[in-house]
């Protein structure tokens, strides 16, 4: 890997900005050679995969590798997070398997190339090893009865509405109150400051709720997809559903 401008190289390689994305190109244009057979789980669409890789040009020049960094690369298959040669070439691998991928320009970066290290119309060769696979965690929607069970199990329950909403309807007993959004719809500047000291780690059980479930879904998905939390739930129908079903709230007391 060229050590200069390494962050740009990595970004260019794995964020799909390739020329001609969307053209119909058959997988037969990608050459796959199995170097060693794996024995673990199979990489499927929608799975989060972890790989080590080394990328070279046809003349043998190494333009990037995860191995010297000792940090495998992770992405989700089928989400367009990597070049199409990777999408096709890693699909179906088993954990422990090593492959050599010969990727034509049409499945890589085409006429644009990528930065100074990958010239236009470059054929690329990747040696990849599949280290791990698994379906990524997702935000879970729960109903009012499930929230009651969460209360019994000391799950961190957070009401992300605004202060005037808490005063109007009350809050669910035991909830932490942290406003997630400003009136303009942006993330509230104090949300991170108040929220993160409450959690012990990324595997903390967290249940969010708002008025109708829209805002809690947005924050919940961000916690899972962007920050890596693994056990996040939200009240799908919000406090509107909670009250319509006859469940009680308690008066919000301004701290």
């Amino acid at each position: 890997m060229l050590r200069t401008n390494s962050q740009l190289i990595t970004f260019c390689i794995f964020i799909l900005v390739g020329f001609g994305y969307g053209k119909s190109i058959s997988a037969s244009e990608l050459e796959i050679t199995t170097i060693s057979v794996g024995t673990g789980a199979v990489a499927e669409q929608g799975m989060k995969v972890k790989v080590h890789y080394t990328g070279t040009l046809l003349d043998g020049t190494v333009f990037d590798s995860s191995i010297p960094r000792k940090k495998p690369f992770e992405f989700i298959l089928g989400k367009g997070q990597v070049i199409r040669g990777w999408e096709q070439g890693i699909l179906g691998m088993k954990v422990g398997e090593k492959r050599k991928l010969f990727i034509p320009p049409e499945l890589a970066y085409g006429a644009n190339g990528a930065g100074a290290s990958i010239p236009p119309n470059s054929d690329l060769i990747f040696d990849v090893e599949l280290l791990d696979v698994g379906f990524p965690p997702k935000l879970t929607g729960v109903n009012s009865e499930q929230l009651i069970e969460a209360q019994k199990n000391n799950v961190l329950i957070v009401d992300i509405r605004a202060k005037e909403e808490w005063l109007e309807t009350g809050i669910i007993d035991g909830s932490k109150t942290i406003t997630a959004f400003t009136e303009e719809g942006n993330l509230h500047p104090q949300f991170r400051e108040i929220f993160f000291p409450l959690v012990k780690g990324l595997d903390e059980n967290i249940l969010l709720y708002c008025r109708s479930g829209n805002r809690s879904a947005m924050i919940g998905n961000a916690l899972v997809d962007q920050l890596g939390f693994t056990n996040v739930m939200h009240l799908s129908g919000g406090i509107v559903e909670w009250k319509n079903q006859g469940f009680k709230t308690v008066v919000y007391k301004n701290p």
Side-chain angles (χ1 to χ4, degrees), residues 14-31:
F14 293 115
I15 299 300
L16 184 57
V17 294
F19 172 81
Y21 181 73
K23 281 178 63 178
S24 177
I25 297 175
S26 66
S28 64
E29 296 183 27
L30 170 71
E31 294 182 16

Side-chain angles (χ1 to χ4, degrees), residues 95-116:
V95 171
E97 183 173 343
K98 294 181 180 180
R99 286 183 178 179
K100 184 180 291 289
L101 308 178
F102 178 89
I103 303 177
E106 293 82 3
L107 296 180
Y109 300 100
N112 287 345

Side-chain angles (χ1 to χ4, degrees), residues 47-65:
M47 277 186 167
K48 187 174 186 179
V49 301
K50 180 187 293 186
V51 299
H52 264 315
Y53 68 91
T54 297
T56 61
L57 303 177
L58 288 186
D59 63 4
T61 300
V62 176
F63 57 81
D64 194 16
S65 177

Side-chain angles (χ1 to χ4, degrees), residues 1 6 22 30 48 55 57 62 79 104 109 121 180 194 220 249 252:
M1 173 183 176
S6 60
L30 170 71
K48 187 174 186 179
L57 303 177
V62 176
K79 293 289 188 179
Y109 300 100
N121 298 310
I194 301 174
T249 59
Y252 167 70

